[in-house]
Amino acid sequence: MSKPAVLFVCVHNAGRSQMAAGWLRHLAGERIDVRSAGSEPADQINPVAVEAMSEVGIDITGAVPHILATEDVRDSDVVITMGCGDACPIFPGKRYEDWDLTDPAGQPIEVVRQVRDDIRARIEKLITELDPT
C-alpha cells in the first residue's frame, strides 16, 4: 500500500498549515506524504510561526507559501482545511476535515504557541488514524 498523503490548506499558507505540515513531517517522518497550500498564499511564512516552531526544535524556515491547485487535492488522501472553507475543491473518496484554529497572523508569540500546541495534539491523533504502526 502506498503511503497516505495529507494536504493542509489555509488562506495564506503562512501559519497554521505550515505549522501542521512541520509537525506531521517531524512526528511521522517518511511514513506520510505531507503537502500544504493556500487559497491566497502570502509572500512569506509568518515569522512568529517560524519562531514558535523553532522553540520545539522544528525548522520551517525553508517552507514557501504555495497556491492551492486542484491537483494538490486530487493527489491527497486527507485534506485538512483551516478556515478557508469553500475555496477548497471537493473530490469524491477523499477524507475532509476542517480544523477550527486561531489564525496566528498578527498574534503575539503566546497565542501562536497555543495554536502550535493545539496543532500538535491534532497531528498526533491524525497519525494514529493513518498509520497505526
Side-chain angles (χ1 to χ4, degrees):
M1 184 177 112
S2 63
K3 64 182 174 178
V6 177
L7 171 65
F8 297 102
V9 182
C10 66
V11 178
H12 297 120
N13 192 216
R16 294 165 289 189
S17 55
Q18 295 287 359
M19 289 193 288
W23 272 123
L24 186 53
R25 283 187 189 101
H26 180 74
L27 296 171
E30 297 295 314
R31 295 175 298 166
I32 297 173
D33 190 17
V34 182
R35 305 174 171 122
S36 71
S39 51
E40 299 171 29
D43 56 354
Q44 66 177 23
I45 300 264
N46 178 338
V48 184
V50 171
E51 180 183 350
M53 293 300 284
S54 72
E55 290 176 353
V56 293
I58 300 173
D59 181 7
I60 60 170
T61 54
V64 177
H66 169 76
I67 184 79
L68 176 65
T70 303
E71 301 77 48
D72 295 327
V73 178
R74 190 183 58 226
D75 296 343
S76 299
D77 300 299
V78 180
V79 179
I80 298 173
T81 57
M82 303 168 179
C84 77
D86 298 336
C88 303
I90 303 292
F91 287 92
K94 306 293 179 190
R95 172 177 162 186
Y96 291 88
E97 290 184 22
D98 186 60
W99 291 358
D100 186 16
L101 297 163
T102 301
D103 186 348
Q107 297 286 347
I109 187 75
E110 296 77 24
V111 172
V112 179
R113 285 182 186 126
Q114 291 171 351
V115 174
R116 174 199 68 202
D117 296 343
D118 184 4
I119 290 171
R120 179 183 180 140
R122 293 169 189 249
I123 291 293
E124 288 172 342
K125 179 178 183 285
L126 180 68
I127 291 170
T128 62
E129 294 166 1
L130 293 178
D131 184 28
T133 60

